[in-house]
Structures are given as structure tokens and as C-alpha cells.
Amino acid sequence: MNLRHGQLWQRLGLTIVSGILVASLAPSAAAAPTNGQNMHGDMESTDLDASSSDSGVSAPDTAQDRAASDGADASDASESADSVDEATASSEEESADGVDAQVYTFPGTDGPTRIHILTTTGSADAILLESRGVFAMIDGAEGVGAPDGKDPRYPLREGVVNAALGDTDWVLGYMSNHGVTSSNLAFYLGTHAHSDHIDNADEIIKKFRPKVILSPEYSDAWITDKSRLWDNQWVYDNMMAAARWAQGAYGASIVQNIKDYNTHIALGDMDVQIIPTDPAENYKKTGVRDADLIAYTAKVSAFGHSAYLAADLETRGGYEDRIAPIVGHVDMLKAGHHGLPSSNSSAFMKALSPSMIAQTGPEWYIPDNLTESVIHGDSSWVPMMDLWSSGHIPSLIATFAPSGISYNDLSAASWGHEYGRESPRAWWFKGGRPAATTGWWKGSSGSWYYFAGKPSAEASTWVYDGGQWYWMDATGAMVTGWIHDGKDWYYLDSEGHLAGSGWTQIGGLWYYLNGGRAALGWFYDAGSWYYLDASTGAMAVGWTQIDGQWYFLRSSGAMATGWMNSGSNWYYLSGSGAMATGWLYDAGSWYYLDATTGAMVTGWKQIGGQWYFLNSSGAMVTGWMNDGGTWYYLDATTGAMATGWAQVDGKWYFLRSSGAMATGWMNSGSNWYYLSGSGAMATGWILDGGAWYYLGDTGAMATGTQEIDGRSSTFSLSGRWVGYAS
């Protein structure tokens, strides 16, 4: 990966001090404050490593600071051999499979056998090998500068940044401090054409004059993903120009086109096996997505122990699967591609099963599988950026000996990491191993975690710190907003603090909190009842159905009682607040409220097979009522509309089936009756249409001969009086 292309500069705090560019090497969320402080309230991290007095120190002001900090190690190389001039530059040996192996031999004199993996400004590789006073350099990190577009061979492309901060002085200074000279650098290996690997190659070659220079051939023409061309050709051409100069100036060997796994370099007690990612060089014919797949990786072995330096090896395309059997088990792994998720698959890590994992990038790069063996086994893991930012340790130094591989003191370095599929997600590390700690830590995701004396963060539990309660979810992340702890709902503010008590508006809704816990259901406050949703605790307003009953909660949330107008209708809420339906007696009158909607009824309404009339106020009408010019009689007690014969105030009336009061002649049964203009049934003699009629005591019209008032009268069949019979 190219630092310029990975946009890591946004993670580097850049300032100018007395004209010197200063870099803060730590991710912005990774620093830890002084032990014992509790600054979580203003969302600053607290100390997570009580044993380290400098765990929160900022990154070095300059690369020279790192060089100064590793000055004590320079004495280790004071007795290094001054020259490898007498070394065998190359020879051919027969390998075990009968194929000629290309072997370069640099025997050296005396001194330790070590691998130095340097911390860098960003995600970059710079690895120094030493054994018996001879040295080698693999890659060299990022330099300063980039194509300006003036040369048509190197156009400006998206993602190319003219880096103002590189590691040139730091890398060269580190090499010098550890005894590298222009006489004892056996070889330089540029793994592939990315600036975060070979940008400083030309500087290294010119200053230290390596005897052998190895790097795969590269051309932009072989890259199929044109978005990944960047300044690859520029840095490659710079390296090769320096290599050709070295070839002419002092006879350096240039090694490219390695087509097998049989190239070895004997560096003192070290065997360095060059392992190409594509020895068949298929990329020259078919192309390849990215230059990191055109790479020379290296397996380093000494005293029966080994390390694999994986460059930017990826699992995509089956590269890791092909190379894993060739490498086999190693004690130490420089993780592929800075630990990015596209590399270091579970199968690859299982095949190599390293006990030490060095990652040339920040901790937040890595997928779970890279360090699974760290939290579930005995492996150690060192993210190089965090090694410096937390502990001012300039490099990881692996010293080989017959008894095994030992490492420099890493105990000053500590860091946290968020996993993807672990629960809890956050773990704390010190010196490469999980370590118990206490305090808050903010992960790269922005989530806060709390450690309580364990390597893993607290999860699915309440945490009390600094007088405040916090809830940590199943992943261990601090929660804000609503949470359910399996029993109750609680609200936590934007800083994760458990809210207090009283009415609280959240997201436009009102809640009643008691020590942060949401009240649910019916709630009585200041003389009024309120309903708080049984699931969410949100205060109800408007019509709300509760346990099969309807209630009306005013805009204030207070429960309504008595008569209430809503929309164009009136409703009645009982003393319990429940909406009334059916017949209601109130203030001396009966009202009818729709059985389904509860709306007060007006006008005619058939109820239970009977008709009733409710006036405009909703009150049930009784007695005589004129509606549209028609009279009706509504029972004085029940209000039911009368039909048929009805006696009212001692008089008889006839109400038709529609309830309309009848007048005039009316046949009922087998008899005729006469109903006056008032509707009252007539009796006795009446004159109608010039004729006399007689209506008996029952109101029935007389016909034939009838004895009336002591005389016989004759009536026609139509009831007309004909005269006296005698």
C-alpha cells in the first residue's frame, strides 16, 4: 500500500515549529491521558496503562527524535565488520530438487543476527537485516516528493500527493546508527513498485552502496486497474536509475526476473530466501490489478528459527494459498500488506502459525484473523505505528540465537484494538500481549470502551465511573440514547451519562424518567394522569387505546374527562378517562354515544329496534316533537318513538309505522276512526263534508242502525247518518 494513496496524511497532525515540520504519529483517538484521571465526561480518553508513565506521550517531533531514541542500540554495531568486499558476490549451488540455486554469500565476521522492523511516519515498510556485522535493507519507507506532471512519462494521477513528510532522514539515520556503512551493506531488496516501500531506495543505494540490488521488473502497462498507477513508475525508475549507477560505479549486481524460489542470500548466519509472488511473471502477459502483486517477499532463517517478510502479499487471486506451503511455519511474521483485510487470511495465518506478528501499520487496519492467535493463544502482535506513538520505541528488533528469537523491550508500548467478530470488540495490549487495564478508550470507529482490570472491555453491563452510570452494549461500546437492559428502558445522554429524573423531551417526544429509567403505563403527576407507552415510555397524546378502552390525552399529555369536542364530534370521557359508548345519563338528560366510535349522536337514531330523536345538544327528546312539519310522539320515560295507538294525557292518538301522527279518517282493523287536527281521536257526533257521523266511545264509526241517546239512528255503510229509524 502506498502511504500517499492510502490517505493516511489526514491521520497525521502536522504543525510547524521553528520552521520544522512536526508529525504526530498516533491516530487521533488512540492517545491515553494520565493514569487515574477520569476525563470521560468531556470525551477525552483516560489512561489505560497504569504501569506505563509515558503511555500517552505524543509522536516524535521529527524523524531525528526516533534516531536519538534508538542511539543506545548503536553501540551494538560498533564492532561490525567494516567491509564485505571480500564476500562471495554470487555462486551457484545445486538445490535439493536438483535445480540450480542462485546463492549470494556474505559471511561477515562477528556480531548479532537481527531483524529490525522500523517504525515509520505512516503505513510503510523499512526492514534492516544484520548478521555477523553485515547488513541488508528491505524496502525503505516513504520519501518526500512526487511527480509534478511536467514529464509526460510521469503524469499527475488521482491519489498522488507530494508528501511533505517522509522517512528518508529517519531511515538513513537509523541505518547509520546501527553500523551500516557504504562497505557492509550486502544487498538492497525493493519488494515492489509502491512509494511506501521503495521511495527511499535511490537514497539508500547511493549512500550505502549495496553489493546486490534485487527488485522485480515493473511497468505501468502491466497494471489493469488504472486507478492504482499513482507514482509507481516514477519511484521504480528512480530506484533503477540508482541501481544502474551502482552497477557502473562499483560493480553492483542487479537481480530481477527471479523465476523460482531458489534464490538465497547467505548474510552471515542468516539465510534469506527470495520468494516471488508470481515467479512465472504472468503479469507481463495477462496484467495484474496492482503492483503489490508483483513482489519479491523474503523468508529469513537462522539457528533453526525463521521469519517471513510478506511485503504486500494478498489473499486475493490465491497468492497466499500458493506461497503458504513454500514458507511453512515461521516464528515471526511481518504481516502482509500492513495488516489490511485483503491479506493474512485465517488459512494463511494457520499455515505459518507465527509466535510474533509485526504489522507495519496502525492497529485499526487489521481484520480479526491476523491477531486471533494473540487473544486466543500465545502469539504476540506489534502494530509498528502504535509502538512509537505509545512507547517511543523506534523499532521491533528480533535477535536470533540457537535458543530462539528474543525481542527488545516493548513493555512501554500499549494500545487498544477493536475487533469485528469478537464480543466484546475492544481489547487492550501491552508489549504485544493482551494486558489488563482500567479506564476509557476510544476506538477508531468512534466508540468508547471501558476496561475494568481485564484485557477485554466491559460488555452488556452498567459501569459506574466518576459519579456517572454508563451502559456498555454486547460489543462493549458505550451507548447513548435509549437502551434496554433486559428489564427496563433507560436513556443516556450524548456523553453516555445516565439521565436524571423528571419530564424529558427526546426526539420531539416527552418521557418521564426516574433515575434515567423510563416510566411506563399510567402515571400520575401534579393532579393529572398521563399515559406513557408500555413499550417505549413515550407520552401519549390524542386518542389512545389502552387495554381495549379509548382515552383522550390532551396536547399536554393530561388525560381528559367529561365532555370533549374532537374534530366535529362530541365525546364523553368517564371519570376513569375511558371513552363512553351507548346511553349516557348526564345532568338530567340522556345522550347516545355511538357504540363503535363514541361520537355523540344527534337526530333520528335507531337503537335496539327502536327509534329515538337526539336534539342538537345530543339530549334525548321525549313527548311530542314536530320534525319537518310532522308530529311524533316519543315516550315520556324511554324516549322511544311511538307507533300505533297511544294514549297521551287521556287522549288517544294514532302514530303511523313511520311514527308520524295521523289526522282525519283512518281505518284500523275493521273500523274507521276520525283523528282531529290535533291528532286526538274523536268520539260522538261529528260533521264532516256536510254529513254527520257518529263515533262510539272507542272512536269506531257507527254503521247500520244504532241506538244513540234513546233513539234509533240509521247509518249508511260509509257511516253517513241517514236519519232516525222511527
Side-chain angles (χ1 to χ4, degrees):
M1 179 174 180
N2 192 316
L3 172 62
R4 299 171 183 160
H5 317 144
Q7 299 181 343
L8 291 175
W9 295 107
Q10 62 187 356
R11 289 187 168 266
L12 306 177
L14 302 180
T15 57
I16 301 293
V17 179
S18 301
I20 300 174
L21 196 60
V22 179
S24 175
L25 304 186
S28 57
T34 305
N35 180 47
Q37 294 178 346
N38 181 5
M39 304 178 65
H40 185 260
D42 59 4
M43 304 312 286
E44 295 183 11
S45 64
T46 58
D47 186 20
L48 298 182
D49 190 359
S51 66
S52 176
S53 62
D54 198 27
S55 61
V57 71
S58 62
D61 290 342
T62 65
Q64 287 79 359
D65 288 348
R66 281 178 289 176
S69 71
D70 82 290
D73 295 327
S75 61
D76 294 334
S78 62
E79 298 181 359
S80 300
D82 292 329
S83 175
V84 295
D85 288 345
E86 297 181 1
T88 301
S90 68
S91 63
E92 291 187 357
E93 298 180 358
E94 185 156 312
S95 64
D97 58 6
V99 177
D100 287 341
Q102 190 70 36
V103 179
Y104 298 85
T105 303
F106 301 93
T109 56
D110 192 21
T113 296
R114 292 174 172 172
I115 298 176
H116 305 244
I117 300 178
L118 280 64
T119 63
T120 61
T121 301
S123 180
D125 278 15
I127 303 169
L128 177 66
L129 310 182
E130 67 167 309
S131 183
R132 299 185 65 82
V134 289
F135 297 84
M137 194 68 188
I138 298 178
D139 290 329
E142 191 89 44
V144 176
D148 58 10
K150 295 178 180 178
D151 189 332
R153 296 175 298 172
Y154 313 116
L156 290 176
R157 299 184 174 116
E158 183 180 358
V160 174
V161 177
N162 189 347
L165 184 65
D167 285 304
T168 306
D169 292 342
W170 156 238
V171 171
L172 298 179
Y174 187 97
M175 294 173 69
S176 295
N177 285 350
H178 286 267
V180 183
T181 70
S182 60
S183 300
N184 62 13
L185 186 64
F187 71 88
Y188 172 82
L189 169 62
T191 61
H192 63 284
H194 276 172
S195 67
D196 60 330
H197 290 257
I198 66 167
D199 203 2
N200 289 318
D202 54 344
E203 300 278 358
I204 293 170
I205 292 170
K206 291 176 181 178
K207 181 176 176 65
F208 295 107
R209 302 165 73 95
K211 305 306 176 282
V212 181
I213 301 165
L214 306 95
S215 184
E217 289 185 332
Y218 172 82
S219 171
D220 278 351
W222 301 335
I223 307 304
T224 58
D225 186 345
K226 302 308 178 185
S227 69
R228 308 189 74 79
L229 295 175
W230 303 307
D231 54 2
N232 301 350
Q233 193 72 62
W234 183 73
V235 295
Y236 174 79
D237 287 351
N238 288 344
M239 176 183 68
M240 293 310 301
R244 287 189 294 272
W245 168 86
Q247 188 179 49
Y250 59 90
S253 299
I254 299 176
V255 180
Q256 298 187 289
N257 309 117
I258 298 176
K259 299 182 183 298
D260 52 35
Y261 306 120
N262 297 314
T263 297
H264 292 257
I265 303 174
L267 188 75
D269 292 322
M270 272 184 185
D271 174 73
V272 182
Q273 181 185 10
I274 307 302
I275 302 176
T277 56
D278 185 3
E281 297 184 342
N282 291 311
Y283 49 82
K284 293 183 178 180
K285 296 173 287 187
T286 63
V288 69
R289 175 178 175 270
D290 198 341
D292 56 22
L293 301 176
I294 308 171
Y296 289 170
T297 68
K299 181 178 181 179
V300 179
S301 304
F303 307 117
H305 306 285
S306 59
Y308 181 54
L309 311 178
D312 281 0
L313 181 67
E314 292 204 331
T315 192
R316 290 180 294 192
Y319 286 87
E320 286 185 349
D321 291 341
R322 291 197 297 273
I323 287 179
I326 298 165
V327 176
H329 165 68
V330 294
D331 299 275
M332 176 182 174
L333 170 68
K334 196 294 293 183
H337 213 164
H338 315 291
L340 287 169
S342 56
S343 60
N344 310 293
S345 68
S346 295
F348 183 74
M349 296 302 297
K350 184 177 181 179
L352 272 64
S353 58
S355 56
M356 169 62 79
I357 303 163
Q359 178 206 347
T360 55
E363 56 80 19
W364 45 267
Y365 267 11
I366 69 169
D368 290 7
N369 49 269
L370 182 62
T371 61
E372 187 174 23
S373 61
V374 181
I375 61 174
H376 297 301
D378 297 323
S379 299
S380 297
W381 160 54
V382 178
M384 300 305 298
M385 288 180 66
D386 299 272
L387 196 66
W388 175 258
S389 64
S390 67
H392 276 195
I393 301 172
S395 61
L396 172 66
I397 302 175
T399 300
F400 289 66
S403 58
I405 302 177
S406 60
Y407 299 92
N408 53 318
D409 184 8
L410 307 176
S411 61
S414 57
W415 59 90
H417 179 66
E418 290 174 298
Y419 286 90
R421 55 178 181 259
E422 295 291 332
S423 186
R425 278 203 314 242
W427 286 68
W428 192 253
F429 299 85
K430 180 181 174 64
R433 293 291 302 151
T437 192
T438 300
W440 291 98
W441 176 70
K442 188 177 184 181
S444 60
S445 69
S447 296
W448 283 93
Y449 302 88
Y450 187 80
F451 294 85
K454 298 184 298 184
S456 57
E458 298 295 289
S460 300
T461 189
W462 288 103
V463 166
Y464 187 75
D465 181 67
Q468 298 286 347
W469 283 99
Y470 304 84
W471 176 256
M472 320 310 290
D473 68 15
T475 72
M478 183 195 78
V479 175
T480 61
W482 289 105
I483 66 101
H484 195 273
D485 69 348
K487 180 181 179 182
D488 296 301
W489 283 100
Y490 295 84
Y491 185 76
L492 302 113
D493 65 20
S494 60
E495 294 185 339
H497 300 159
L498 183 65
S501 299
W503 288 105
T504 304
Q505 190 176 38
I506 304 168
L509 299 174
W510 285 93
Y511 301 82
Y512 192 88
L513 306 177
N514 185 8
R517 181 173 58 192
L520 305 176
W522 287 108
F523 178 75
Y524 189 75
D525 181 56
S528 295
W529 283 96
Y530 300 81
Y531 187 75
L532 307 168
D533 188 275
S535 298
T536 68
M539 183 188 78
V541 294
W543 287 107
T544 303
Q545 191 176 40
I546 305 166
D547 296 332
Q549 298 283 344
W550 284 96
Y551 299 81
F552 188 85
L553 294 309
R554 303 188 188 279
S555 60
S556 66
M559 183 189 77
T561 60
W563 287 105
M564 183 201 69
N565 182 268
S566 176
S568 59
N569 295 310
W570 283 90
Y571 301 84
Y572 188 84
L573 294 309
S574 68
S576 69
M579 181 188 76
T581 59
W583 287 108
L584 170 73
Y585 189 76
D586 181 61
S589 295
W590 284 95
Y591 300 82
Y592 188 78
L593 307 163
D594 187 273
T596 302
T597 67
M600 183 189 77
V601 175
T602 60
W604 288 106
K605 178 70 174 178
Q606 190 178 38
I607 305 166
Q610 299 285 342
W611 284 93
Y612 300 84
F613 190 86
L614 297 305
N615 65 21
S616 60
S617 71
M620 182 187 75
V621 176
T622 60
W624 289 106
M625 182 196 72
N626 186 285
D627 182 42
T630 301
W631 285 93
Y632 300 84
Y633 185 74
L634 305 158
D635 188 274
T637 301
T638 66
M641 181 189 78
T643 59
W645 289 107
Q647 189 178 40
V648 182
D649 297 331
K651 296 180 179 182
W652 287 94
Y653 299 82
F654 189 84
L655 295 308
R656 302 186 188 280
S657 60
S658 66
M661 181 189 77
T663 60
W665 289 106
M666 185 198 71
N667 182 269
S668 178
S670 59
N671 296 309
W672 284 89
Y673 300 85
Y674 187 82
L675 305 164
S676 68
S678 68
M681 182 187 76
T683 59
W685 291 100
I686 64 168
L687 180 66
D688 181 53
W692 287 95
Y693 299 84
Y694 186 79
L695 306 164
D697 292 341
T698 64
M701 179 188 78
T703 59
T705 301
Q706 301 288 338
E707 188 74 19
I708 302 170
D709 298 331
R711 297 184 70 179
S712 295
S713 292
T714 301
F715 299 89
S716 69
L717 291 176
S718 64
R720 291 172 66 89
W721 182 65
V722 177
Y724 292 111
S726 57

